[in-house]
Amino acid sequence: MITLSPPQLTISAEEYRQRRQRFLAQLGQGTAILRSAPQAVMHNDVEYTFRQDSNFYYLTGFNEPNTVAVLTTQHTEHQFILFVQPKDRTQEMWTGYRVGPEAAVTQFGADAAYPISELDSQLPQYCEKADRLYYHLGLDEPFNDCILKLWRRLLAQYPRRGMGPLALEDPNPILARLRLTKSPAELALLRRAADIAAQAHNQAREVAHPGVYEYQVQAEMEATFRREGAMGPAYPSIVAAGPNACILHYTENSRRLMPDDLLLIDAGCALDYYNSDITRTFPAAGRFTPPQQAIYEAVLAAQEAAIAAVRPGITLVDIHTTALRVLVSGLVDLGLLVGNVDDLVGETEEAKQAYRPYFMHRTSHWLGLDVHDAGPYRTPSGEPVALEPGYVFTVEPGLYIGPDTEPREGQPAIADHWRGIGVRIEDDVLVTETGCEVLTAAVPKSVMAMER
Ligand code: GLY
Ligand code: MN
Ligand code: MN
């Protein structure tokens, strides 16, 4: 059913300006050059939906390809400069509206804006007094070459000018740190993206029955994403029934649900590029079999213990270890692993080998403008990053016993009744002063709620 959407949430021009100020404050005497994402081609002259580069979007809010942003404190008049696609009625009639240089100034806060064709002639004035260029060497080789050529030219002039960029530095670590703490406006977007995905997951349990195809469940969920104003899926939706749940990034979504299948759904949406990422696993026919329920309860216990542990000061390594301990003790209780839990969760390669066939991924990743968001996991001294209020990440332990899974040497053989069971439970959490807020709590996950 279509109801009127709430007003679109978005990041204000003022917040983009503050982000640029915080970024500029870390550049010292350097000049940063950022490139938009390319317009990817599907085939011939048919294009994929444009997806902006997240760092570029974080600093500009500008959502077009073929754009360059420059940030510098080394120019007398301009700190934020945009090179954009020019207004062009014929081109716009074919490929859509363009902001153009004029509105890049009035609406996007640029101090100066030029058509992209003037990049070569205008860019040097913003770089020649800088002591370094901040530029991320990306996949666009011709553009990398253009920046390297400019740098080489400025280096050649250095002896006579006595100034100019002597170093090329990647700006991404600075941006990754800035992006780690979410602002109230970012949290509003993340909350809404979580709510929309939660609604889709709750609908999925209504429509998924034996006989229905995985893609039909996917279709219902993705219709909800769009109907509620999201851009679409945050990543290719995983709707994985039966043994497909044991393929971590299964996206074929082509199986017909069988009466004994568990259905693992890992799907989230993007709202103004802010993402949600939720996984639930439930029985297609409405009732867990005893082995399915046993695995489910082990994963749920691990996930709840990990979420309960979240508070400022601890790290994602601690969260992972908490989940891992509960998963491993569950596997021992079920007879799928033998040994002492302390030994089995140990950091030695030998210990990891024992649980790896059943749990082969990490428990958490940062979440934000990217689904696997840009924040650092380690400090420059190599320590895991300690959680602070405002950080957002996923908690997503799982257990997977595929048709071909082999136990490690010295571990018990896998009884047939365990085979084809894959369970993951994933929520998105925000670190608060005292603990955490589960942004995706609107999707239930108890055994009872998963049954019908
Ligand atoms: N859906 C991707 C992930 O959970 O990381
Ligand atoms: Mn996921
Ligand atoms: Mn995830």
Side-chain angles (χ1 to χ4, degrees), residues 16 20 35-37 50-69 80 82-86 97-105 107-110 113-114 272-273:
Y16 283 114
R20 289 191 293 271
R35 175 72 160 151
S36 64
F50 177 67
R51 204 307 182 177
Q52 188 55 286
D53 174 84
S54 295
N55 280 334
F56 189 93
Y57 197 69
Y58 180 79
L59 290 174
T60 65
F62 202 85
N63 199 25
E64 290 181 23
N66 209 11
T67 304
V68 172
F80 172 40
L82 280 173
F83 294 88
V84 304
Q85 303 179 110
Y97 296 111
R98 292 175 174 184
V99 170
E102 215 170 289
V105 171
Q107 289 174 27
F108 288 83
Y114 307 94
D272 200 11
Y273 290 131

Side-chain angles (χ1 to χ4, degrees), residues 118-177:
E118 291 181 28
L119 186 70
D120 283 347
S121 58
Q122 301 290 352
L123 187 56
Q125 63 171 308
Y126 298 109
C127 301
E128 56 202 11
K129 294 202 183 103
D131 70 350
R132 71 193 53 214
L133 295 181
Y134 285 94
Y135 175 68
H136 175 73
L137 281 171
L139 297 176
D140 183 344
E141 293 293 355
F143 192 74
N144 291 342
D145 287 346
C146 152
I147 299 302
L148 293 175
K149 228 162 80 191
L150 167 67
W151 186 32
R152 193 176 293 131
R153 219 167 59 228
L154 294 171
L155 282 172
Q157 294 167 1
Y158 187 88
R160 295 206 171 274
R161 296 171 50 87
M163 62 169 76
L166 290 179
L168 189 66
E169 184 169 329
D170 193 320
N172 284 12
I174 297 176
L175 287 159
R177 282 195 302 277

Side-chain angles (χ1 to χ4, degrees), residues 235 238 248-249 264-268 276-279 365 371-372 394 396 424 426 428:
Y235 49 89
I238 297 165
L248 295 180
H249 291 167
L264 182 156
I265 302 178
D266 183 346
S276 50
D277 182 4
I278 305 179
T279 308
H365 55 79
V371 176
H372 292 181
T394 67
E396 50 177 307
R424 178 163 65 256
E426 174 175 30
D428 305 340

Side-chain angles (χ1 to χ4, degrees), residues 383-418:
E383 298 298 316
V385 165
L387 298 181
E388 291 182 21
Y391 292 8
V392 175
F393 60 91
T394 67
V395 181
E396 50 177 307
L399 287 175
Y400 314 90
I401 310 169
D404 307 319
T405 300
E406 293 281 357
R408 286 293 148 88
E409 213 180 299
Q411 292 295 333
I414 301 170
D416 279 348
H417 59 265
W418 299 120

Side-chain angles (χ1 to χ4, degrees), residues 13 21 29 48 146 180-182 187 197 273-274 278 291 350 372 382 386 412:
Q21 288 307 319
Q29 316 291 303
Y48 283 104
C146 152
L180 199 44
T181 305
K182 271 58 181 181
L187 289 175
Y273 290 131
Y274 284 86
I278 305 179
E350 193 186 335
H372 292 181

